[in-house]
Amino acid sequence: MLGFSEILGHETIKANLKKAIESHKISHAYIMTGEAGMGRKSLANAFALSLLCEKGGAEPCMQCHACRQVLSGNHPDLIYVTHEKPGSIGVDDIRSQVNDTVSVRPYSSYYKIYIVDEAEKMTVQAQNALLKTIEEPPSYAVIILLTTNQEAFLPTILSRCVQLKLKPLKNSVVKEYLTEALGVKEQDADVYAAFARGNLGKAIHLASSEEFKQMHSEMLKLLKNLKSMDISQLLNCIKKLKEENIDLYECLDFMQFWYRDVLMFKVTKDVNLLIFKDEYTSINEISKNSGYEGLEEILSAIEKARVRLDANVNTELALELMLFVMKEN
């Protein structure tokens, strides 16, 4: 568990929460929205740590009895709301863990904090039950809802909560963390950072994922030899991707980044702007042999394939059409 200063990025949100702590203007309900892996839990935990810390500063001291209790997972005034059913948080979960306990004063701190992860899974009844507490909370109660999708909340919930939206980190920040903290090679870190699109958790996952490494090598083989492959080899390639259960959306992302590099190099001739720097020779070769129009057509074909997969069109057909455009251009 980290303090604010150890969390990468999200400076605006951290400043907002720290200011609230320093000025003793804590809201009773917060919503933190961002995709999985972006740091919602880290921010919520840092906020809870700071509120419960005996030193009372904007940064938790990590040393006092309260901080040590939070770090070991047994502070009586920090409640993580759980749910039995994986797909939904029901009205009974909210009643038994929040509504029925919120009137009991904090044991050892000024605040009593409830963190509801995956809060978008609350049923309408559960949200209405929670609304009762949010509308008339005791002075010490702080409820933090963590979600990937705040559209799932009732307007009445949204209007009564402070909404904090996590933004993606810069690729350079993600890359620096991967190389310095995890010892990832620079050229690999470029690729993971590009794929993670500012999501540090995703980048860390990719850096240790065997499936991603397999997809990476399959895609490179295909894209570097596309021109010389005949139709039957291309069809075999599609078959192999399907059989090995490789994430097809990640394959499309890979192709998009690859041809973005080709186009970028064609325009700038600057190796430093490439994601796949160590594939410079192949990228240079393809950029010489492809025209601007052809590259635009390829990128458009990749986008069309994504739309077709979303629309549940036959997977093999969608990929075949795309690869034919790529081969021609």
Side-chain angles (χ1 to χ4, degrees):
M1 204 177 280
L2 310 170
F4 287 123
S5 60
E6 297 153 296
I7 296 172
L8 276 187
H10 310 305
E11 300 307 331
T12 313
I13 293 177
K14 290 193 293 194
N16 184 320
L17 296 173
K18 285 162 83 167
K19 191 178 169 192
I21 295 165
E22 284 164 347
S23 60
H24 303 291
K25 289 184 176 163
I26 308 297
S27 293
H28 290 298
Y30 293 84
I31 293 174
M32 292 187 187
T33 311
E35 58 184 59
M38 279 183 82
R40 293 161 305 147
K41 282 184 202 158
S42 299
L43 284 165
N45 285 330
F47 189 37
L49 255 173
S50 300
L51 288 175
L52 297 171
C53 175
E54 289 158 21
K55 296 273 161 48
E59 278 283 349
C61 74
M62 301 292 194
Q63 305 295 321
C64 68
H65 180 61
C67 279
R68 289 204 305 274
Q69 278 186 308
V70 174
L71 293 170
S72 64
N74 49 25
H75 194 295
D77 300 322
L78 176 56
I79 297 104
Y80 292 94
V81 175
T82 58
H83 51 108
E84 291 295 309
K85 290 184 189 164
S88 75
I89 300 176
V91 66
D92 292 340
D93 296 318
I94 294 298
R95 279 191 187 133
S96 63
Q97 294 174 69
V98 184
N99 294 15
D100 295 351
T101 65
V102 76
S103 57
V104 178
R105 296 193 68 79
Y107 288 96
S108 58
S109 304
Y110 177 74
Y111 294 104
K112 187 168 190 174
I113 302 165
Y114 295 86
I115 296 179
V116 186
D117 195 11
E118 302 182 305
E120 70 280 354
K121 292 182 176 175
M122 283 190 291
T123 62
V124 172
Q125 293 87 338
Q127 289 188 50
N128 278 320
L130 186 64
L131 193 59
K132 287 194 176 76
T133 298
I134 292 177
E135 281 178 327
E136 295 171 17
S139 60
Y140 48 78
V142 179
I143 295 167
I144 307 171
L145 306 177
L146 308 182
T147 181
T148 52
N149 172 28
Q150 65 177 42
E151 307 301 316
F153 295 138
L154 297 170
T156 40
I157 293 263
L158 289 172
S159 67
R160 285 169 175 79
C161 296
V162 172
Q163 296 175 37
L164 303 169
K165 210 172 169 100
L166 279 69
K167 293 191 172 72
L169 303 177
K170 288 188 176 130
N171 278 8
S172 56
V173 173
V174 174
K175 182 185 163 183
E176 189 181 325
Y177 181 84
L178 292 176
T179 52
E180 292 186 7
L182 302 184
V184 173
K185 285 192 294 199
E186 197 158 321
Q187 60 267 37
D188 292 338
D190 274 324
V191 177
Y192 300 139
F195 268 82
R197 292 191 162 91
N199 183 328
L200 184 63
K202 187 176 179 187
I204 293 167
H205 166 71
L206 292 176
S208 63
S209 161
E210 285 309 315
E211 289 91 347
F212 187 80
K213 287 188 178 74
Q214 187 196 353
M215 185 275 293
H216 187 286
S217 84
E218 294 289 343
M219 283 291 105
L220 277 184
K221 217 182 301 173
L222 168 66
L223 293 167
K224 286 158 83 165
N225 301 307
L226 192 64
K227 209 73 180 158
S228 58
M229 289 166 90
D230 60 30
I231 301 303
S232 66
Q233 287 172 306
L234 284 180
L235 297 181
N236 277 340
C237 200
I238 292 172
K239 207 167 143 209
K240 194 174 175 195
L241 289 177
K242 273 199 80 179
E243 280 168 4
E244 290 178 354
N245 267 336
I246 288 175
D247 185 327
L248 295 176
Y249 288 99
E250 276 191 352
C251 293
L252 296 180
D253 282 346
F254 194 101
M255 292 172 180
Q256 229 162 5
F257 289 134
W258 177 263
Y259 285 107
R260 166 223 168 266
D261 267 9
V262 172
L263 194 56
M264 181 68 81
F265 191 74
K266 195 172 177 65
V267 176
T268 65
K269 297 284 182 284
D270 185 349
V271 180
N272 294 315
L273 297 175
L274 301 183
I275 293 166
F276 300 102
K277 290 186 182 67
D278 51 347
E279 298 300 334
Y280 151 74
T281 316
S282 303
I283 285 170
N284 180 28
E285 193 60 32
I286 297 168
S287 79
K288 280 184 195 160
N289 296 328
S290 303
Y292 288 111
E293 269 181 42
L295 290 169
E296 292 292 351
E297 275 187 44
I298 289 172
L299 287 165
S300 159
I302 296 168
E303 208 38 63
K304 273 186 195 144
R306 196 187 297 276
V307 171
R308 285 175 177 139
L309 288 182
D310 279 340
N312 287 326
V313 171
N314 178 305
T315 305
E316 286 174 29
L317 179 65
L319 296 179
E320 275 169 34
L321 292 168
M322 176 188 71
L323 287 174
F324 291 154
V325 173
M326 285 160 72
K327 190 169 164 56
E328 277 170 24
N329 292 287

